[in-house]
Amino acid sequence: NAGVTQTPKFQVLKTGQSMTLQCAQDMNHNSMYWYRQDPGMGLRLIYYSASEGTTDKGEVPNGYNVSRLNKREFSLRLESAAPSQTSVYFCASRVGAATYEQYFGPGTRLTVT
Amino acid sequence: AQTVTQSQPEMSVQEAETVTLSCTYDTSENNYYLFWYKQPPSRQMILVIRQEAYKQQNATENRFSVNFQKAAKSFSLKISDSQLGDTAMYFCAFMVGGSNYKLTFGKGTLLTVNP
């Protein structure tokens, strides 16, 4: 039982390049979330998926797209990376229904030059 | 919109002593939850303690306890018998029940425990 896993752990991109951050959970959770963490800031919600087949915007969705591939996997795509997207990205999952605890992955540190 | 404010960017405490981290929040909701997360240098987000707004009793988890003042919209974290392993960034977070359970975080307090 690995919990929430994220790949890659580190990534360096050039401005304008694209990439997909992968997230998977093996806890049979229904809801999944993508957050970004910038220096001096708490985590901010980018997108979330309340259940398989649904996705919704969070607080800072611009420049990102997401795909809930199946119940286990929730990917975050940067189509044209910008230096402002340099950040640490966290994926989280939640059982669903009326439960509130979110379980976080280890994070991906992304640098855009 | 909900906001979470942590007014102490950094704090330090001596090993074995007690320290209190402050958090205030703003909301018009009645059904919500409050959390403290710990982020050590490993970067992993670890849930320390949670409080349901409808519960009057303050939550405790071993050396960690909260002082939840609903009317004042205050949610402070007390760490007793501080240990070196408590050195971390601590985030206060807020969640509205039934709103797809999205978390809103404060900016964090960096706590250093000195030997």
Side-chain angles (χ1 to χ4, degrees):
Chain A
N1 188 337
V4 180
T5 57
Q6 293 183 235
T7 55
K9 286 187 169 50
F10 302 93
Q11 183 71 48
V12 179
L13 289 178
K14 294 187 188 305
T15 297
Q17 288 185 320
S18 63
M19 80 159 295
T20 299
L21 280 63
Q22 306 286 354
C23 174
Q25 50 89 11
D26 61 3
M27 298 176 283
N28 202 35
H29 286 179
N30 288 306
S31 301
M32 298 184 75
Y33 306 80
W34 275 107
Y35 296 88
R36 61 177 287 174
Q37 181 181 23
D38 301 304
M41 305 282 288
L43 280 68
R44 292 181 292 170
L45 183 65
I46 305 171
Y47 269 94
Y48 66 99
S49 171
S51 60
E52 187 179 357
T54 68
T55 60
D56 282 290
K57 295 178 180 179
E59 182 185 351
V60 288
N62 291 343
Y64 305 95
N65 286 303
V66 290
S67 295
R68 183 74 183 267
L69 304 170
N70 48 55
K71 192 171 186 179
R72 289 187 64 248
E73 299 172 286
F74 188 39
S75 63
L76 179 71
R77 183 160 179 84
L78 287 70
E79 291 291 350
S80 179
S84 61
Q85 294 178 305
T86 293
S87 189
V88 179
Y89 291 85
F90 287 94
C91 178
S93 70
R94 183 177 67 88
V95 171
T99 63
Y100 45 70
E101 184 163 354
Q102 293 186 18
Y103 296 81
F104 284 82
T108 295
R109 181 177 292 278
L110 174 67
T111 302
V112 183
T113 61
Chain B
Q2 284 65 235
T3 59
V4 178
T5 302
Q6 294 180 249
S7 58
Q8 306 149 316
E10 294 187 39
M11 295 189 72
S12 63
V13 65
Q14 293 298 123
E15 197 174 5
E17 293 187 347
T18 295
V19 64
T20 299
L21 280 57
S22 301
C23 173
T24 58
Y25 59 95
D26 188 26
T27 185
S28 58
E29 302 286 342
N30 282 319
N31 177 24
Y32 58 87
Y33 307 90
L34 293 160
F35 306 85
W36 279 99
Y37 279 89
K38 169 184 177 181
Q39 187 179 44
S42 67
R43 207 169 64 196
Q44 181 69 45
M45 293 292 288
I46 302 166
L47 179 63
V48 174
I49 198 165
R50 60 178 173 261
Q51 175 81 41
E52 293 89 342
Y54 62 85
K55 290 187 178 178
Q56 293 189 338
Q57 187 173 4
N58 290 325
T60 63
E61 289 287 342
N62 301 314
R63 297 182 295 106
F64 299 88
S65 61
V66 298
N67 183 4
F68 175 45
Q69 301 289 326
K70 190 172 183 178
K73 296 181 181 175
S74 171
F75 182 61
S76 61
L77 175 69
K78 185 171 83 172
I79 306 174
S80 304
D81 186 26
S82 297
Q83 301 175 0
L84 297 178
D86 294 334
T87 292
M89 184 72 83
Y90 287 82
F91 292 98
C92 179
F94 175 97
M95 175 191 284
V96 175
S99 67
N100 290 310
Y101 300 88
K102 297 172 285 186
L103 283 166
T104 300
F105 286 85
K107 293 185 177 182
T109 296
L110 178 60
L111 176 67
T112 302
V113 180
N114 299 309

